[in-house]
Amino acid sequence: MIQLHYYPSTASMVPHILLEELGVPYERVLVDRTQDVQKTTAYLKLNPNGLIPVLTDGDLVLYETAAICLHLCDTHPQAGLAPAVGSAARAHFYKWLMWLTNTLQSTLLIYFYPDRWVKAGNADGAAQVRQQAQLKVRNLLRQLDTELARHGGPWFMPEGYSALDPYIFTLCRWTRGFDSGAARDKAHLGPFLQRMLQRPAVQRVLANEGLSPPFV
């Protein structure tokens, strides 16, 4: 039985959506961040970084969201959540997956946790870091919007729906509190997010995680 160790509205939403899209049996294991469960000895045995998510699949224990996505795509190729291995489309899939985790997600984390990048108690410095991170995120969202406009399809890759779409959806959700420049305000990202919200798998995940509007 696959187990997904998750917390609502975190990066674990990405594999959560993928598992619902796949329709395979799995179990959700809540890692309650309000109780610092991710810092307990038991959880650190699964992920020594103390981060969410973790996916276990038999004897396999896997962390890092992008790695979990690739594992689910590779073990369920019939679902077509990634282009064929060795194809140019697969190469672009890898490129964007790494961009999402290494560029957009990492910048969003700086926005949400700016105090990690300054000395303790430096509130002014943290505010400046947060402001600059938000500006960068806005530029990165423009890049996503431009790519969607380039091929004009309903999903991020011109070949169709893939594991990139839940990843983009999840990260774009994190911008819903922006005072301006949120993903939902973009000409192409906004409709994309609405299409994602209409997918039954996404609706089930929002319900499973107990989330309330606004979703994006």
Side-chain angles (χ1 to χ4, degrees):
M1 171 71 74
I2 293 173
Q3 288 187 326
L4 175 66
H5 298 254
Y6 83 105
Y7 187 78
S9 203
T10 65
S12 60
M13 178 176 280
V14 184
H16 193 173
I17 294 173
L18 290 182
L19 287 165
E20 287 292 337
E21 294 281 8
L22 292 170
V24 296
Y26 76 97
E27 179 183 2
R28 294 184 300 277
V29 180
L30 177 66
V31 182
D32 192 348
R33 294 201 313 177
T34 65
Q35 301 298 318
D36 285 338
V37 171
Q38 77 278 11
K39 298 178 182 179
T40 61
T41 301
Y43 190 78
L44 291 174
K45 288 180 179 179
L46 298 175
N47 184 351
N49 304 296
L51 299 174
I52 303 166
V54 166
L55 182 135
T56 59
D57 187 356
D59 293 331
L60 176 67
V61 178
L62 194 60
Y63 52 86
E64 295 297 332
T65 304
I68 293 171
C69 290
L70 286 172
H71 172 69
L72 292 175
C73 290
D74 291 346
T75 52
H76 303 86
Q78 72 284 355
L81 290 174
V85 173
S87 66
R90 181 75 170 214
H92 285 296
F93 173 85
Y94 289 145
K95 174 190 71 179
W96 283 110
L97 182 62
M98 300 313 138
W99 184 90
L100 287 167
T101 185
N102 290 334
T103 304
L104 180 55
Q105 185 175 353
S106 62
T107 306
L108 279 163
L109 291 176
I110 294 172
Y111 168 80
F112 285 113
Y113 304 104
D115 53 295
R116 296 176 180 175
W117 300 92
V118 297
K119 290 183 178 180
N122 185 358
D124 289 341
Q128 290 179 20
V129 169
R130 183 182 177 105
Q131 182 181 40
Q132 291 303 308
Q134 186 175 22
L135 290 174
K136 184 173 182 180
V137 169
R138 288 173 181 167
N139 288 331
L140 298 175
L141 293 177
R142 291 191 192 100
Q143 192 173 343
L144 287 178
D145 200 61
T146 298
E147 180 64 16
L148 275 169
R150 183 184 64 79
H151 64 75
W155 307 115
F156 190 72
M157 296 199 74
E159 293 77 16
Y161 187 84
S162 75
L164 296 179
D165 296 300
Y167 216 135
I168 293 167
F169 173 78
T170 298
L171 297 183
C172 284
R173 281 194 76 249
W174 293 359
T175 72
R176 66 193 183 279
F178 279 16
D179 50 4
S180 63
R184 63 175 176 270
D185 299 328
K186 301 297 181 189
H188 302 278
L189 275 176
F192 164 83
L193 294 174
Q194 292 304 314
R195 287 192 292 273
M196 285 296 296
L197 286 172
Q198 295 305 309
R199 292 188 73 87
V202 174
Q203 294 176 12
R204 289 193 295 271
V205 167
L206 295 173
N208 290 344
E209 298 196 2
L211 302 177
S212 302
F215 295 123
V216 297

